[in-house]
């Protein structure tokens, strides 16, 4: 038996001002999308802003439903919307911001497993590493690719 170690690196920022300008712009759009999220059940409003290689930004908030599993996370709402509107554009980056009961989340809102799976397919489809900016008021983390966030991922080519 052998052990295979898997490690990832993320950039860590302690203020919005320290982020590169393009990341800051995307975070602002994610924050605005979180303001417009429809999350009356969890009161956890998430916003995601997707930057495409054609320069467009597509942003969306999570969409909940009284029949709980029928809702959708912000990341997938934004990515599927981007795919529908710009089917030939590659995703360059996604920023995620969240607020709980109207208060900005202090720590990075890490995307759920299902969103990582969808983000990974966008990355593969676009043949470009997708920068993932997970914004928290106190701490922001940036991953250089979705593959870093989903090691040992499902692949039909196994
Ligand atoms: N949520 C997201 O929008 N993104 C994630 O990556 C995880 C969770 C949403 C789903 C639900 O509307 C609320 O946050 C609470 O789980």
């Amino acid at each position: 038996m052998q052990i295979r170690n898997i490690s990832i690196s993320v950039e860590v920022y302690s203020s919005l001002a320290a982020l590169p300008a393009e990341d800051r712009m995307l975070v602002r759009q994610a924050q605005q999308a979180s303001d417009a999220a429809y999350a009356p059940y969890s009161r956890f409003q998430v916003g995601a802003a997707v930057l495409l290689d054609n320069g467009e930004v597509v942003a969306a908030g999570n969409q909940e439903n009284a029949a709980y599993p029928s809702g959708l996370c912000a990341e997938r709402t934004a990515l599927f919307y981007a795919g529908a509107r710009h089917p030939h554009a590659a995703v360059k980056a996604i920023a995620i911001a969240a607020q709980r009961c109207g208060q900005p989340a202090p720590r990075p809102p890490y995307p759920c497993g299902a969103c990582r799976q969808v983000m990974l397919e966008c990355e593969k489809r676009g043949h470009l590493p997708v920068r993932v900016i997970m914004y928290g008021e106190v701490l922001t983390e940036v991953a250089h690719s979705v593959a870093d966030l989903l090691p040992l991922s499902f692949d039909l080519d196994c």
Side-chain angles (χ1 to χ4, degrees):
M1 190 268 280
Q2 292 180 333
I3 301 288
R4 179 154 66 106
N5 290 310
I6 298 169
S7 68
I8 67 154
S9 301
V10 291
E11 297 168 16
V12 181
Y13 298 89
S14 52
S15 75
L16 185 61
L19 280 166
E22 194 170 74
D23 291 1
R24 277 204 308 274
M25 173 279 293
L26 220 49
V27 165
R28 293 280 185 227
Q29 301 236 23
Q31 287 173 318
Q32 283 171 16
S34 78
D35 288 337
Y38 178 64
Y41 304 104
S42 69
R43 303 201 66 202
F44 190 71
Q45 293 181 228
V46 185
V50 175
L51 175 65
L52 302 173
D53 68 350
N54 63 7
E56 293 284 334
V57 175
V58 175
N62 49 332
Q63 303 295 317
E64 296 187 346
N65 189 275
Y68 290 175
S70 306
L72 196 63
C73 293
E75 297 90 323
R76 276 176 288 161
T77 307
L79 286 168
F80 290 153
Y81 183 51
R85 295 297 304 272
H86 305 278
H88 304 299
V91 175
K92 281 179 69 180
I94 180 169
I96 308 158
Q99 44 184 297
R100 188 188 305 279
C101 303
Q103 296 302 313
R107 288 185 304 282
Y110 298 133
C112 76
C115 287
R116 290 178 199 215
Q117 185 71 39
V118 168
M119 288 159 60
L120 184 65
E121 186 140 339
C122 290
E123 182 165 272
K124 287 180 178 170
R125 197 173 155 187
H127 304 286
L128 262 188
V130 174
R131 189 170 168 84
V132 185
I133 304 134
M134 298 161 284
Y135 174 77
E137 282 273 295
V138 172
L139 191 76
T140 296
E141 285 173 319
V142 179
H144 300 142
S145 81
V146 180
D148 282 352
L149 295 180
L150 196 61
L152 307 179
S153 61
F154 172 72
D155 193 334
L156 283 173
D157 296 332
C158 61

